[in-house]
């Protein structure tokens, strides 16, 4: 008779608090899982050294590896991550993935979007290198969704999964990176929270999200967009 598989201890509160305390980071801990067990550190962060230090301390404490699998973003995005952190739900599955180059001659990239049944509304905004926030997509507006699909900008892969096509944002392959933010909301976002006003700045947009938080439930995810070479 084979020996029973030893139970894996749940993730300790100290490790969870250690990662939650990091600034310029939105981190999701997946696990423990696997044989031997390990924890996968996902999400986005602006200071890789601090995240590695937290992973090393947590590994020493728990006796199992903490594997870094998230994305380091440019440090200039720290103000954005700090503003979004109160609305980030690290216990939930990812809603937006870092855009990947399509390999086509037009230098487009694709971002995978994943709906969450707990939230009826799904929005995507773009934060450019200058800190200007622009509305990109209201995925739960059927008219907008169908129009984007007809235009070839959006592909429906079924099961609540979509692919959003992004054009290169500059003629220079060394241009500063941008950020995509997905906002999953229980009710329609106010216009200011969807950055519908032309030239909305980052501070004004974060303030609008804070105002919206008093009236509806929402969570956010972020991914860095570096255009295809």
């Amino acid at each position: 008779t084979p020996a029973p598989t030893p139970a894996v201890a749940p993730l300790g509160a100290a490790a969870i608090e250690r990662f939650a305390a990091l600034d310029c980071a939105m981190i999701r801990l997946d696990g423990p899982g696997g044989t031997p067990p390990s924890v996968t550190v996902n999400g986005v962060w602006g200071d890789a050294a601090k995240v590695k230090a937290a992973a090393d301390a947590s590994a020493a404490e728990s006796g199992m590896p903490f594997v870094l699998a998230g994305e380091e973003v440019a440090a200039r995005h720290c103000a954005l991550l700090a503003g979004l952190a109160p609305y980030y739900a690290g216990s939930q599955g990812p809603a937006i993935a870092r855009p990947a180059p399509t390999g086509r001659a037009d230098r487009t990239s694709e971002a995978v979007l994943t709906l969450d049944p707990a939230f009826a509304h799904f929005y995507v905004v773009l934060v450019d290198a200058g800190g200007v926030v622009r509305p990109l997509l209201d995925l739960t507006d059927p008219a907008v969704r169908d129009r984007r699909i007809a235009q070839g900008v959006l592909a429906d892969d079924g099961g609540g999964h979509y692919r959003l096509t992004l054009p290169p944002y500059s003629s220079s392959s060394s241009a500063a990176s941008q950020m995509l933010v997905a906002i999953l909301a229980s009710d329609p976002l106010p216009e200011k929270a969807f950055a519908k006003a032309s030239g909305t700045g980052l501070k004004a947009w974060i303030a609008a999200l804070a105002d919206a938080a008093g009236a509806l439930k929402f969570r956010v995810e972020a991914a860095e967009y570096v255009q295809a070479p």
Side-chain angles (χ1 to χ4, degrees):
T1 303
T5 302
V8 178
L11 194 59
I16 295 172
E17 292 171 2
R18 183 177 293 118
F19 282 97
L22 295 175
D23 56 2
C24 191
M26 298 198 308
I27 290 174
R28 185 177 72 257
L29 300 176
D30 293 328
T35 306
S38 64
V39 175
T40 304
V41 183
N42 286 302
V44 292
W45 49 77
D47 190 331
K50 288 183 179 180
V51 177
K52 184 179 184 305
D56 290 345
S58 298
E61 184 178 72
S62 64
M64 58 185 167
F66 277 62
V67 181
L68 302 187
E71 301 284 349
E72 183 179 12
V73 304
R76 65 177 164 275
H77 298 309
C78 284
L80 170 65
L81 297 184
L84 295 177
Y87 317 113
Y88 176 68
S91 61
Q92 304 299 312
I96 188 167
R98 183 186 178 101
T102 61
R104 298 194 291 260
D106 60 3
R107 298 174 59 218
T108 53
S109 297
E110 285 183 339
V112 175
L113 312 176
T114 303
L115 302 186
D116 182 341
F119 296 89
H121 300 270
F122 192 112
Y123 304 85
V124 181
V125 302
L126 175 76
V127 184
D128 70 18
V132 176
V133 186
R134 309 177 193 279
L136 205 59
L137 180 67
D138 178 357
L139 190 54
T140 45
D141 182 329
V144 173
R145 182 187 61 217
D146 293 346
R147 185 165 63 251
R148 294 290 186 265
I149 290 174
Q151 292 169 341
V153 174
L154 189 68
D156 185 351
D157 291 335
H161 301 284
Y162 292 82
R163 284 175 289 118
L164 175 64
T165 299
L166 300 162
Y169 48 76
S170 165
S171 60
S172 169
S173 62
S174 62
S177 66
Q178 302 185 346
M179 292 291 288
L180 297 173
V181 180
I183 308 148
L184 292 74
S186 59
D187 296 285
L189 279 180
E191 288 194 358
K192 288 184 178 179
F194 190 32
K196 282 196 171 183
S198 177
T200 299
L202 181 59
K203 287 184 178 180
W205 179 61
I206 293 296
L209 286 180
D211 289 342
L216 59 108
K217 179 183 177 184
F218 66 87
R219 71 179 181 94
V220 300
E221 295 266 345
E224 189 175 34
Y225 170 36
V226 179
Q227 64 186 356

